[in-house]
Amino acid sequence: MKSDLALLIVGIGCSGFSLFGYFDKHVSYCNGATNPCTPVVVTGSQYPKNAKFVKLHQGWGLLRTASGVIGAMSFGAGYFASGAASVKQRKSEEEAALNEARQKQLEATTSDILDEEEIQKTAIAADLRVKDFKRELYDGYNTLYLEKNPELLDALTTPKSLPASMESKFQEFEDAQVEQNAAPAPKSNQLLGVELPITPDLGVKFFDWKQFRDTPEMFPHLRGVAPTNGGKTTLFDWLMDVMPCDKKLVITIKRKPHQWTGLEVIGVPEDYGAIRTALESLQSERIRRTVLMAKGIDFPIWNVGIDEWRVISKNIKAIVDRKTKQIISPSAKQIMGDMITLARELGIRIFALAQGRQVVTWGLEDESDLAECFCSIYMGRFALEECEKYRNKYPKDSEQYAKYQQVRDYLESLGNRAAWISCELGEFPAVVPDLSQWQRQLPNLSSQPETSVNSETSQATELAPNQESEDSQELWELAKKRLLESWQSDEVTAREDTATSSEGEADKAADEASEALQDKDYSTTSLLPEPERSKALARVMALLSSRGSSEVDTVSEVISLIPAQPDKALWLSLKLLRLGVTASSRDVFGCGTGGKAFQKAKDWYHALESTFGKIVE
């Protein structure tokens, strides 16, 4: 286009040049009066008709030249002016298009943010509505069930008659309650004998440690993240007691003398074989509870502490058969991954401890989402990092940012006692209680053995070495007492046809077993040596007693075998209880779950199976 315009300008200039030259044209002719002929120049066409040698001459004067120069300069200036205007207009159009694109992008971003906020609000509202609907549905179910079963409502609202002794005790209790109501005591700020810290008023809610005791269902699993010597073991040792449970177990490769006292500790020092056995036992227990849950049967709550998890995961790999390539024993990582995912509703609560938050530290490189199953307790510098991360969610000039900056400064002043808790309830700063003087309240263990660090246990049926010569009759009396107490306590909830006679049947069954134990011929060949067999019988009968009065026939069947076939009685008891090798070694044979003692119990277990058949199908 520019080349065409240039040609046009040149053409117009040349035309102008010729045009102006036309106005300066002239002619010449010869005048006959002169000799020789002298040309006479005239302008225009004014020459005589008889003129000779007439010639037409184009104009070459100053006007033509000046006009051509001026015309060319004018067209050149116009060309450059039009080019500059074109460039300016193009830049203006490009800038306008860029501004328009930015405006559209800003509008799209704003729309996305508003849509995201609307989605979040809708999700929150829907979640609240679902919770309200569930609560209404449960209330409706309860109301309908009570309407169909009015006798339950009467049983709940009508007090039962109590014995005279109980009436007097109840009256004393009411009097004590009246006195307490008359002068209410100040609210205690203690938890298991530990004074809880008083947090400052910084406009932010601090975590209340009593929630672990009052609402344990909100904390399915716990993990502690703290530097070495950051106090996480002491805190979790205390939390094992704070959170209600029926059994406590700790798996670790090392511990200090004041740590985990009075609890069953497996794996010290660095006994990975015992740890593998314990993890497999946990897996079997989880599978067993899954079956019970499908049948609507409740199960006890276990608190299982796992320390030094990274080292455990590194050293306990899967065992694979070389020929079939099948996994004989899964790795610790696989077992714990399944436990964390599936054990939440099965009453097995995991207490995991490590020195870092990264998934590599926890041995879950490919399953980082499992960390969301934990209530995470960050301590020390990790608490400061979490607080800063939460603070940075707010604009720097906002009030919330200023509040959490104050919280961060306060946590920094606490050192190792600074904590940040991330759970289903939300994100909270916290202050770790002063646990320097805390000690676990242990039962009287004067008659208990000194257990090894590898199989330390608090089982009530564990017997001391100096009792090896104890009379088997005393062992049975202990089992008899527990059997009778269990059935008596179960009488309240048992059916009417069994509750009325449970005490007599239990006493009768216990007396029969006592006589059978006295008359038993110890000279007969035994799969288990004495007195270990008698101790095992006493322990397994104590376990059977926990089943209540509905199992009188089952216990009587076992008792009937004691005089002539004590080994078979023991085998049948294990079969009824569905106890595996590890559980039998720990709860029946009293050999723990590792070391040489465990191997001895394992041999006894296999001897019973080879003689009478499989115990657990």
Side-chain angles (χ1 to χ4, degrees):
M1 181 178 178
K2 288 184 177 180
S3 60
D4 294 341
L5 183 61
L7 292 174
L8 178 62
I9 293 173
V10 173
I12 295 174
C14 292
S15 300
F17 188 88
S18 300
L19 182 62
F20 282 108
Y22 171 79
F23 290 108
D24 195 30
K25 70 180 180 177
H26 60 277
V27 296
S28 66
Y29 66 95
C30 284
N31 187 354
T34 61
N35 189 21
C37 182
T38 300
V40 178
V41 179
V42 295
T43 59
S45 300
Q46 299 177 4
Y47 56 88
K49 293 183 180 181
N50 58 353
K52 296 180 180 180
F53 305 105
V54 178
K55 293 183 180 180
L56 177 64
H57 300 275
Q58 296 293 334
W60 296 99
L62 180 62
L63 179 61
R64 179 182 178 184
T65 303
S67 298
V69 172
I70 293 172
M73 292 177 62
S74 298
F75 280 104
Y79 170 74
F80 287 112
S82 63
S86 175
V87 172
K88 185 176 180 180
Q89 182 179 2
R90 186 178 68 252
K91 290 183 178 179
S92 177
E93 291 176 354
E94 291 177 352
E95 185 176 358
L98 181 61
N99 291 335
E100 183 179 0
R102 289 177 178 174
Q103 182 66 24
K104 289 182 179 180
Q105 184 178 5
L106 179 61
E107 292 177 356
T109 304
T110 304
S111 177
D112 291 342
I113 293 175
L114 295 176
D115 291 343
E116 184 67 23
E117 291 181 354
E118 189 66 25
I119 291 173
Q120 291 180 357
K121 291 179 181 179
T122 304
I124 293 173
D127 185 55
L128 293 175
R129 179 54 189 158
V130 168
K131 292 182 178 179
D132 293 340
F133 178 74
K134 286 183 178 180
R135 185 172 61 253
E136 294 173 0
L137 187 61
Y138 290 152
D139 292 342
Y141 282 158
N142 294 336
T143 303
L144 183 62
Y145 187 75
L146 290 176
E147 289 178 355
K148 292 184 177 181
N149 302 272
E151 67 278 2
L152 294 178
L153 183 61
D154 296 337
L156 292 173
T157 56
T158 305
K160 295 182 179 180
S161 59
L162 300 174
S165 58
M166 292 296 292
E167 288 285 357
S168 60
K169 291 182 179 180
F170 185 72
Q171 185 62 37
E172 293 175 1
F173 176 76
E174 284 188 339
D175 295 340
Q177 287 294 105
V178 171
E179 294 178 0
Q180 291 179 2
N181 294 334
K187 186 178 180 180
S188 175
N189 194 39
Q190 289 190 346
L191 185 58
L192 289 185
V194 174
E195 189 72 23
L196 299 180
I198 299 177
T199 56
D201 185 9
L202 300 178
V204 174
K205 182 179 179 181
F206 278 70
F207 185 80
D208 185 1
W209 296 95
K210 292 182 180 179
Q211 289 182 301
F212 283 124
R213 179 196 61 189
D214 299 337
T215 58
E217 67 279 358
M218 300 301 297
F219 311 98
H221 303 303
L222 275 71
R223 72 163 177 166
V225 181
T228 303
N229 297 325
K232 62 181 179 299
T233 302
T234 302
L235 175 63
F236 272 59
D237 196 0
W238 176 64
L239 289 177
M240 290 275 281
D241 283 1
V242 170
M243 302 195 73
C245 68
D246 301 289
K247 178 182 175 63
K248 302 169 190 174
L249 171 68
V250 178
I251 299 175
T252 182
I253 60 171
K254 62 182 180 64
R255 68 163 184 167
K256 297 178 181 179
H258 64 278
Q259 296 173 344
W260 314 118
T261 56
L263 302 183
E264 182 179 357
V265 180
I266 298 175
V268 177
E270 298 191 31
D271 190 343
Y272 296 107
I275 293 177
R276 180 185 292 275
T277 303
L279 291 176
E280 290 177 347
S281 178
L282 277 178
Q283 186 183 42
S284 300
E285 177 67 16
R286 175 182 61 78
I287 296 173
R288 185 183 72 87
R289 293 188 177 204
T290 304
V291 177
L292 295 179
M293 182 175 66
K295 298 179 180 179
I297 302 176
D298 295 331
F299 23 72
I301 305 298
W302 286 11
N303 285 349
V304 181
I306 301 180
D307 199 358
E308 302 297 339
W309 173 244
R310 182 178 184 180
V311 181
I312 293 175
S313 176
K314 180 180 178 181
N315 285 274
I316 300 182
K317 303 294 185 181
I319 300 177
V320 181
D321 186 275
R322 294 183 178 180
K323 295 182 179 180
T324 63
K325 303 301 180 181
Q326 293 183 348
I327 297 178
I328 301 175
S329 177
S331 64
K333 173 184 174 181
Q334 179 180 348
I335 294 176
M336 195 50 56
D338 294 341
M339 291 294 297
I340 294 172
T341 306
L342 303 175
R344 172 172 184 165
E345 298 179 348
L346 300 176
I348 301 178
R349 184 182 295 115
I350 305 298
F351 291 70
L353 296 86
Q355 287 81 28
R357 63 164 63 88
Q358 291 81 8
V359 292
V360 176
T361 304
W362 296 92
L364 304 172
E365 296 88 343
D366 302 326
E367 301 179 77
S368 58
D369 57 322
L370 292 181
E372 300 177 0
C373 298
F374 285 102
C375 166
S376 299
I377 303 178
Y378 302 95
M379 302 173 62
R381 62 179 177 86
F382 293 104
L384 299 182
E385 294 174 0
E386 292 298 318
C387 182
E388 292 171 355
K389 187 189 304 182
Y390 192 81
R391 176 203 61 189
N392 293 337
K393 294 181 179 180
Y394 301 98
K396 289 189 176 181
D397 57 350
S398 65
E399 182 181 357
Q400 289 295 103
Y401 186 95
K403 289 181 180 180
Y404 280 98
Q405 179 60 41
Q406 292 181 340
V407 172
R408 189 261 177 210
D409 296 338
Y410 174 69
L411 293 178
E412 186 177 16
S413 67
L414 297 175
N416 288 341
R417 292 186 60 192
W420 185 273
I421 297 179
S422 175
C423 59
E424 294 183 0
L425 299 176
E427 306 274 340
F428 304 95
V431 181
V432 177
D434 183 6
L435 301 173
S436 58
Q437 304 300 322
W438 174 77
Q439 290 183 348
R440 178 172 285 106
Q441 296 296 326
L442 301 178
N444 185 9
L445 301 178
S446 58
S447 61
Q448 297 292 327
E450 289 293 331
T451 56
S452 65
V453 294
N454 185 50
S455 59
E456 179 181 356
T457 178
S458 58
Q459 296 292 332
T461 57
E462 194 69 46
L463 302 176
N466 59 6
Q467 292 178 321
E468 290 294 334
S469 60
E470 184 180 16
D471 187 9
S472 300
Q473 176 62 26
E474 295 182 6
L475 292 172
W476 174 248
E477 288 297 332
L478 176 62
K480 171 185 174 182
K481 179 181 178 182
R482 291 181 179 174
L483 185 66
L484 187 59
E485 290 176 352
S486 175
W487 280 340
Q488 286 176 339
S489 62
D490 191 59
E491 182 180 0
V492 177
T493 57
R495 295 177 300 176
E496 294 297 331
D497 56 342
T498 60
T500 55
S501 59
S502 61
E503 181 177 352
E505 293 182 2
D507 197 13
K508 180 180 178 181
D511 290 338
E512 291 176 359
S514 177
E515 295 175 1
L517 197 61
Q518 290 178 352
D519 298 338
K520 184 165 55 69
D521 184 6
Y522 293 109
S523 63
T524 58
T525 303
S526 173
L527 299 176
L528 276 69
E530 287 293 345
E532 282 78 2
R533 183 173 63 183
S534 296
K535 294 176 183 178
L537 283 169
R539 294 189 186 108
V540 81
M541 292 302 296
L543 292 176
L544 282 173
S545 69
S546 63
R547 292 198 169 195
S549 58
S550 61
E551 298 292 340
V552 171
D553 295 338
T554 302
V555 178
S556 299
E557 182 181 358
V558 175
I559 292 174
S560 64
L561 293 173
I562 292 179
Q565 295 178 291
D567 291 327
K568 188 172 183 180
L570 181 58
W571 169 82
L572 180 59
S573 301
L574 297 177
K575 189 174 182 65
L576 292 173
L577 293 170
R578 298 183 60 81
L579 295 181
V581 178
T582 303
S584 299
S585 175
R586 181 185 63 237
D587 301 334
V588 177
F589 300 130
C591 295
T593 57
K596 295 181 179 180
F598 175 75
Q599 184 60 44
K600 180 171 60 176
K602 187 176 180 181
D603 293 340
W604 293 342
Y605 188 91
H606 290 162
L608 291 173
E609 282 193 326
S610 62
T611 304
F612 302 107
K614 293 288 291 184
I615 295 176
V616 179
E617 299 296 339

